Amino acid sequence: MTPSWASSGLPLFIFLFFVVFHRAQLTYWLGRGAAKGALASAGKNGLRGKIAAWFEGPVPRYGARLLEQWGIVIIPLCFLTVGVQTAVNAGAGVVRMSWKKYTLAMIPGCIAWSIMYGLGMLAVWMAVVRAAAGSVWAWLGLLAVAAVVATLVLVKRRRGRGSEQSLEHG
């Protein structure tokens, strides 16, 4: 619930930024601490064992995989999604990304999140996604975009492998 002094405008944006910034930082530090503590607590019973098991589980691993696959750009982008933020922020902590690098990457995402929530844009965004889900043309458009992105990624990887091989043989 938003406090009355932050009901609209700049105070609302500042409040939302404060909330998302601290939530993301907390998730990052929990992931970072869990990376260390999970090794010591793995296999134990009780709360420590359950926490260690969660951080060894699919959510932080998914976030770490996204970071590995997409690089640092996934951090600000995750704030535009529902359900991926926790995985990516915890994953950044689990892989022990430097705090400075993580924080600099997350600030644009926090700004975008604050704007989206402050303007009610998240509801609009989710309505667009739901509408697109029922449209054949929207799915075809998304498929075309995915094909272009996949092609670009494959071309980039092949060029990277070609330059690695030429360095090895050169």
Side-chain angles (χ1 to χ4, degrees):
M1 176 158 234
T2 307
S4 61
W5 57 265
S7 61
S8 65
L10 187 59
L12 176 61
F13 171 79
I14 292 169
F15 174 76
L16 291 172
F17 181 85
F18 178 83
V19 167
V20 73
F21 181 91
H22 286 88
R23 179 190 180 274
Q25 284 289 315
L26 178 64
T27 307
Y28 166 82
W29 284 106
L30 283 172
R32 195 161 172 134
K36 183 178 181 183
L39 295 174
S41 301
K44 291 191 177 179
N45 294 326
L47 182 61
R48 283 180 58 188
K50 287 180 182 178
I51 292 171
W54 186 85
F55 278 96
E56 288 294 315
V59 173
R61 287 180 192 252
Y62 176 65
R65 274 196 317 272
L66 285 172
L67 279 165
E68 187 176 302
Q69 182 179 9
W70 292 97
I72 200 167
V73 74
I74 195 67
I75 293 172
L77 292 178
C78 81
F79 288 88
L80 303 176
T81 66
V82 175
V84 178
Q85 286 178 50
T86 301
V88 170
N89 293 322
V94 168
V95 300
R96 303 186 60 79
M97 177 181 281
S98 81
W99 175 80
K100 184 178 180 181
K101 187 176 186 179
Y102 168 75
T103 301
L104 288 173
M106 68 168 257
I107 287 174
C110 290
I111 292 169
W113 186 92
S114 300
I115 291 169
M116 282 176 50
Y117 271 82
L119 297 176
M121 294 304 294
L122 184 64
V124 172
W125 172 251
M126 294 309 293
V128 168
V129 169
R130 284 189 198 106
S135 166
V136 173
W137 291 108
W139 278 112
L140 290 173
L142 288 173
L143 186 61
V145 169
V148 169
V149 169
T151 302
L152 292 173
V153 168
L154 288 173
V155 167
K156 182 179 176 185
R157 284 186 181 172
R158 285 189 180 148
R159 285 183 185 162
R161 286 185 191 141
S163 64
E164 286 176 11
Q165 289 175 352
S166 65
L167 288 174
E168 291 174 3
H169 298 294

